[in-house]
Amino acid sequence: MSITDDRRITTDDLPEDPSTGGLPEQLLRLRELKEGIYAGDPAATERQHAKNKLTARERIDLLLDEGSFHEIETLRRHRASGFGLEAKKPYTDGVITGWGTVHGRTVFVYAHDFRIFGGALGEAHATKIHKIMDMAIAAGAPLVSLNDGAGARIQEGVTALAGYGGIFQRNTRCSGVIPQISVMLGPCAGGAAYSPALTDFVFMVRESSQMFITGPDVVRAVTGEEISQNGLGGADVHASVSGVAAFAYDDEESCLEEVRYLLSMLPQNNRETAPVEETEDPADRSTDALLDLVPGDPNRSYDMRQVIEEIVDDHDFFEVQPTWATNIICALARLDGHVVGIVANQPASLAGVLDIHASEKAARFVQTCDAFNIPLVSLVDVPGFLPGVDQEHGGIIRHGAKLLYAYCNATVPRVQVILRKAYGGAYIVMDSRSIGVDVSLAWPSNEIAVMGAEGAANVIFRREIAAADDPEAVRQQKIKEYQTELMHPYYAAERGLVDDVIDPRETRSALISSLAMLRTKHADLPSRKHGNPPV
């Protein structure tokens, strides 16, 4: 029965029980009690709707399959006293917890009810969340949090803060074991913002959701800066500037629909694989359009998203963090019905170079895919790491090493396709043969080298060029010489660093056959407590 079901129980529905005589009346009182809890305060509901926000129960109905929700601890109330709390003990204590299904698979959920204490977290509230998190990890099923709360319940003091600590601990225990998705549907301030940051994916809704450690008033008092809540921690800020949010949407309905779609592409836990879907898109479909999409001139730009669309099933993929670090693309898609994670340089943004943010974004995505048994496909067209004082002082070495570590540590099937440029350390970092990729493929347009021919010629033949009567003519001659000797498309293949040079039109079929071969791959990491990746 749906949590919004209006069906009433009458005495005609209930069996006679001569031994007690009062059971029908008790059941009616139970029904009335729960209906009152489900309905909530009409005035508070009206205030929520006036802000273009749904209630917690309406959100759960949108997230889960119809009629699948099973609520626990509906009758829970807090035990706190002081500051007027003893006179106000609403049922649920401001958070709804339970489980249901999404596309027929079990999902656990908790949803802050802003109508009760502004969704603020107290001891009983936190204990309910702890219980549902423990149930999720025990059952091996995803956990979705629908966040719309005012932070810790100040009236309960340190016990509220301790409640957050219990959530953070469980977020960490669940990490890499079950998918954790945070959906931000209202304010999230202070320590409360750390729980979403510990989860795998963060969804936000424009205008209505914000995340920040200190709010605009504190910022104004400390720094004198004037800024709005959305300007400080709104959806677009976190989706495009900070990188905290993976997705941002205009309304709650489309946001929750996309959460359902993401869940359809994830396994239940780290011991399973993602669901396989039947597709009518032939595995051997020729990707002829790639010949026109990717220019032969390595200095010309193009949109890698169009390449991905051409390769994947039904031309459909789900991009993660599409507006942050746009020089690299991270996406989930299907090849022959099987989910894959795609990491691809984007020549249309900063020529596809790797920088601090791109390295962080890709490293996090690689780790997520590896944790949940999702094979990785790397589409490479990278001219190197972004040079500059800001990058060096900002720690590009450390941040670039995050991506290197993530790939080296990944045990899932890994396939690389080099489309055009693959220069220097960036070539190595983008899952090259030397760091353990299982299959490395390249197009005939590939250029794998320490650096571009012009730069290489200027370094190697610097003195010869400087001493020439016509330096420019000699320089051009040396560039061609370097290209002929070290940058022809078969140089890496001749040395076993590329497994095959393929016709671009065979890219889809080559990927599918390679991944099919690798489906039974098993790789063990050395015995250790855990690695120590750069952070």
Side-chain angles (χ1 to χ4, degrees):
M1 181 166 52
S2 169
I3 57 178
T4 56
D5 196 334
D6 289 329
R7 187 173 67 86
R8 298 292 191 271
I9 292 178
T10 68
T11 53
D12 293 336
D13 296 320
L14 301 174
E16 294 269 345
D17 189 340
S19 64
T20 64
L23 184 57
E25 184 179 345
Q26 292 168 355
L27 289 175
L28 280 172
R29 284 201 299 270
L30 174 63
R31 177 68 185 195
E32 290 171 358
L33 174 62
K34 287 197 172 182
E35 284 180 345
I37 296 171
Y38 296 158
D41 179 0
T45 300
E46 186 65 28
R47 288 193 295 271
Q48 187 82 342
H49 287 165
K51 299 175 185 176
N52 291 321
K53 293 168 65 178
L54 301 175
T55 66
R57 296 185 182 277
E58 290 169 338
R59 290 163 175 165
I60 291 173
D61 268 348
L62 285 175
L63 173 67
L64 300 178
D65 297 337
E66 184 177 356
S68 70
F69 184 59
H70 297 268
E71 186 172 353
I72 63 169
E73 297 206 8
T74 310
L75 303 178
R76 186 69 178 259
R77 297 198 286 185
H78 72 77
R79 300 174 295 180
S81 60
F83 305 101
L85 283 178
E86 64 276 4
K88 188 177 181 182
K89 295 189 175 183
Y91 290 106
T92 73
D93 201 46
V95 64
I96 299 166
T97 58
W99 74 89
T101 60
V102 173
H103 303 300
R105 298 191 301 153
T106 300
V107 171
F108 289 81
V109 62
Y110 68 86
H112 300 296
D113 191 341
F114 197 83
R115 299 173 300 171
I116 298 175
F117 296 130
L121 181 138
E123 181 187 23
H125 182 123
T127 302
K128 288 181 66 175
I129 295 175
H130 297 168
K131 178 185 282 189
I132 206 66
M133 295 179 79
D134 290 341
M135 292 176 68
I137 196 168
L143 175 71
V144 178
S145 62
L146 305 179
N147 298 273
D148 186 5
R153 196 174 299 170
I154 299 172
Q155 301 93 319
E156 294 194 31
V158 70
T159 56
L161 294 178
Y164 273 124
I167 293 172
F168 303 156
Q169 182 193 47
R170 287 167 174 81
N171 284 138
T172 305
R173 280 175 46 210
C174 292
S175 180
V177 180
I178 58 172
Q180 298 180 85
I181 297 174
S182 297
V183 188
M184 315 311 297
L185 301 165
C188 185
Y194 285 115
S195 177
L198 289 169
T199 60
D200 300 306
F201 300 97
V202 176
F203 287 72
M204 295 188 74
V205 176
R206 294 183 178 93
E207 302 303 323
S208 61
S209 64
Q210 303 87 29
M211 297 173 65
F212 36 70
I213 300 301
T214 55
D217 292 342
V218 176
V219 170
R220 185 185 310 111
V222 174
T223 70
E225 297 171 289
E226 293 282 346
I227 193 166
S228 66
Q229 285 196 346
N230 281 319
L232 181 63
D236 287 324
V237 168
H238 286 307
S240 303
V241 180
S242 74
V244 171
F247 310 97
Y249 298 95
D250 291 330
D251 56 75
E252 295 188 17
E253 291 84 356
S254 59
C255 178
L256 292 169
E257 183 59 36
E258 292 297 273
V259 174
R260 287 176 57 86
Y261 181 59
L262 174 60
L263 285 166
S264 76
M265 303 188 80
L266 298 175
Q268 290 292 88
N269 53 62
N270 64 344
R271 301 182 304 276
E272 300 182 11
T273 55
V276 179
E277 285 193 358
E278 295 293 329
T279 179
E280 296 182 359
D281 196 347
D284 58 354
R285 169 171 57 82
S286 180
T287 49
D288 295 20
L290 295 180
L291 298 179
D292 298 320
L293 289 175
V294 181
D297 182 351
N299 296 318
R300 283 185 58 193
S301 176
Y302 64 95
D303 189 349
M304 184 67 84
R305 289 188 181 91
Q306 294 179 320
V307 174
I308 297 172
E309 284 180 358
E310 180 64 17
I311 292 170
V312 300
D313 289 357
D314 306 311
H315 309 285
D316 180 50
F317 66 94
F318 191 50
E319 188 171 356
V320 178
Q321 296 181 303
T323 58
W324 183 61
T326 55
N327 42 320
I328 201 157
I329 297 171
C330 298
L332 293 170
R334 282 188 166 88
L335 283 168
D336 199 29
H338 296 265
V339 176
V340 297
I342 297 174
V343 179
N345 305 112
Q346 172 57 297
S349 176
L350 295 176
V353 297
L354 290 177
D355 61 2
I356 289 172
H357 288 164
S359 299
E360 287 188 319
K361 172 180 170 179
R364 173 71 168 168
F365 183 74
V366 168
Q367 289 176 167
T368 301
C369 290
D370 186 51
F372 295 113
N373 307 312
I374 297 173
L376 288 161
V377 172
S378 301
L379 303 179
V380 182
D381 191 346
V382 60
F385 281 93
L386 182 64
V389 174
D390 289 345
Q391 288 290 307
E392 295 295 345
H393 289 185
I396 184 61
I397 297 172
R398 174 168 50 88
H399 293 288
K402 293 178 182 179
L403 180 54
L404 182 60
Y405 187 100
Y407 268 128
C408 290
N409 202 50
T411 60
V412 292
R414 292 150 52 187
V415 181
Q416 176 196 53
V417 181
I418 301 168
L419 281 64
R420 295 195 310 186
K421 300 183 296 296
Y423 294 162
Y427 154 66
I428 299 172
V429 170
M430 285 298 295
D431 208 14
S432 63
R433 166 62 70 187
S434 59
I435 66 169
V437 74
D438 296 299
V439 176
S440 177
L441 305 173
W443 288 5
S445 51
N446 81 80
E447 291 184 356
I448 305 172
V450 175
M451 62 176 67
E454 291 189 13
N458 288 337
V459 172
I460 298 172
F461 305 107
R462 181 179 68 254
R463 293 180 180 177
E464 189 174 340
I465 292 172
D469 294 334
D470 188 346
E472 182 58 26
V474 173
R475 191 172 75 89
Q476 292 300 324
Q477 175 191 342
K478 296 303 181 181
I479 289 172
K480 290 180 180 179
E481 183 179 326
Y482 186 84
Q483 288 174 326
T484 302
E485 291 294 324
L486 296 177
M487 292 184 65
H488 64 80
Y490 308 109
Y491 185 85
E494 290 171 358
R495 286 151 182 81
L497 298 174
V498 166
D499 295 306
D500 197 11
V501 178
I502 63 170
D503 184 329
R505 292 170 294 186
E506 299 172 357
T507 303
R508 172 177 164 82
S509 59
L511 285 172
I512 289 173
S513 62
S514 297
L515 291 168
M517 175 272 294
L518 291 166
R519 205 152 289 143
T520 55
K521 175 186 175 182
H522 178 76
D524 289 320
L525 292 173
S527 177
R528 57 186 173 182
K529 186 175 182 180
H530 57 73
N532 188 21
V535 295

